[in-house]
Every structure is written in structure tokens, then in C-alpha cells.
Amino acid sequence: MSNRAVLEVIALSAEDAIAAQAGGADRLELVTDMAADGLTPSRETFAAIRAAVDLPLRVMLRLTDGFAAGDIDALVAAARNLRAEGADQFVLGFLNADGNPDLVAVERIVAEIEGCPWTFHRAIDRAADRDALRKELADLPGLDTFLTAGSATGVSDGMPTLLAEAARSGQPGYEAQILVGGGLRLEHLPRLLGAGVDAVHIGGAARPGGWELPVDAAAVRRWRGALDGG
């Protein structure tokens, strides 16, 4: 089994997914509406992507911009519909008004997805207390990843936090994999990899022409090469 670093790429469509896989992506995050930083895709979009590639797919559960859960019943229904279509990995994360994890929303969704692996996304970068959030969520079934830039403003500002958290890997609250994304650049990789970070997430970096254009397989391939030491 390969121990290479995980490269996760945002996909909005089957076209994106095919290009990402061709470039060497290991996993896709499926979203729609990047103007709102990524919302839940339709069941039909999931089905089209699932038919197009054989990569693991993590599907966003988020219905409105920001990190408030909004309509929890609608989120649970979305999760149920995607599960019925075959989705078996997810991305979610909600905060309450105080910047603490919204455990009511998170626990209801986690119950609906029944132990499927899931990522707590960059809501952690807006949390009032990152360490407390990690420890509150640590025992929830299926949580295996935190997507984080270390800072709400991106990896450049969050690097000290990312390095410190990587150094705590395996400690209580720090068992989940760190998936670094949010303003991530190729120049960041040596420090992150050197600290033991073994998973990264790219969106805009896979689309040099902007979000109105599809994923560029060559751009993904550059990231794959950098992660593999090429």
C-alpha cells in the first residue's frame, strides 16, 4: 500500500473529476457554488462524478455561506439523499454564535451518515478555541480528518499553528489527519511535509485559469510531482 501524501482536489463536475484523476489526485471533494465557498452538490452531480471516476469522493454537507448550520433538517435530508445515491464519505463543520462547535447539528448529521468517514472543514479556522473544538469532536464516529489552513486568512499566516498541531499528532484530539488547504502554495510544501503533514487540499490551484474553467490535469500533476519529491 502506498504511503504517499494524499492530494485532494475540489471537483464541481465530472469534467473536473476526470482531469483531477488524470493529474494524480487521490481523492475529490465534491461541492457546488464556490462563490459561497462550496455548498452541497446535487444528487445528480454526485452520480455523474461517481460514474466518471473511481476515486474516493468526499461530499460537502453545507447549504448556506458561512459556518452556521442553518436548517438542520434540510442538511440531514441532503445527507440521506446522497447516502441513497451511494455517497460514503462527507465534509461538514458548523459553529454556533460563540465560535464553538455546533454539536446539535454535527451530531445529527453524523448519526445520519452512520459511521461514514468525514472531514471537519475549515470552520476550525474560525473557532473560538481550536484545541477545545478538537477535543469536543474527538469521539464522534467517522471523524478522520480536519481540513485547515491554520488561520482564517490562509496557510501563510497559519503555518505556525499547522506545524504545532502536526507535532501533536496522536495526542487526544489530534488523532485525525491534518489536511492542509486554504491559500496553499507549492512553496509551503517543504515545511509541511518536513513536519509530517501528509495530506493537502487544492481548489483554485488546480484551475490556473480561474473557477470559471475546469480543473487542469497539468496543474494537478505539478502538485502530485511536488508531493512525491519530483
Side-chain angles (χ1 to χ4, degrees):
M1 183 175 177
S2 172
N3 62 355
R4 73 179 188 172
V6 172
L7 175 58
E8 180 180 273
V9 178
I10 293 175
L12 307 177
S13 66
E15 183 181 11
D16 280 349
I18 291 166
Q21 179 167 282
D26 298 295
R27 188 170 72 207
L28 304 179
E29 180 187 86
L30 307 192
V31 304
T32 190
D33 196 357
M34 284 307 300
D37 290 327
L39 304 180
T40 300
S42 70
R43 185 169 171 169
E44 292 76 16
T45 296
F46 169 81
I49 293 174
R50 178 71 293 161
V53 297
D54 58 7
L55 294 176
L57 308 178
R58 293 223 165 177
V59 188
M60 180 65 72
L61 294 172
R62 183 171 178 258
L63 299 180
T64 59
D65 198 358
F67 298 113
D71 187 337
I72 300 174
D73 289 339
L75 283 164
V76 170
R80 182 180 304 123
N81 289 335
L82 286 160
R83 286 284 288 132
E85 193 62 51
D88 58 6
Q89 299 187 37
F90 295 92
V91 183
L92 60 121
F94 304 104
L95 303 176
N96 62 26
D98 297 321
N100 299 315
D102 184 341
L103 293 177
V104 172
V106 172
E107 289 176 355
R108 280 198 61 194
I109 296 167
V110 168
E112 184 63 40
I113 64 177
E114 301 177 315
C116 289
W118 59 281
T119 298
F120 191 93
H121 62 51
R122 288 196 61 205
I124 189 176
D125 294 337
R126 299 281 186 178
D129 185 329
R130 296 172 65 94
D131 181 69
L133 179 146
R134 281 174 164 275
K135 290 172 180 174
E136 284 189 78
L137 299 177
D139 294 330
L140 290 177
L143 173 62
D144 65 1
T145 305
F146 281 97
L147 171 59
T148 176
S151 166
T153 54
V155 170
S156 290
D157 292 333
M159 184 66 74
T161 296
L162 294 170
L163 299 180
E165 291 187 345
R168 297 185 66 180
S169 177
Q171 295 180 17
Y174 293 81
E175 298 92 344
Q177 184 174 49
I178 296 174
L179 174 67
V180 176
L184 181 65
R185 301 194 299 270
L186 286 168
E187 67 202 57
H188 293 133
L189 293 184
R191 291 186 74 191
L192 293 169
L193 295 173
V197 170
D198 59 1
V200 301
H201 166 99
I202 60 172
R207 298 167 173 79
W211 283 101
E212 66 277 8
L213 297 179
V215 165
D216 181 341
V220 177
R221 199 169 293 116
R222 282 193 292 274
W223 281 81
R224 179 78 269 159
L227 286 170
D228 293 346

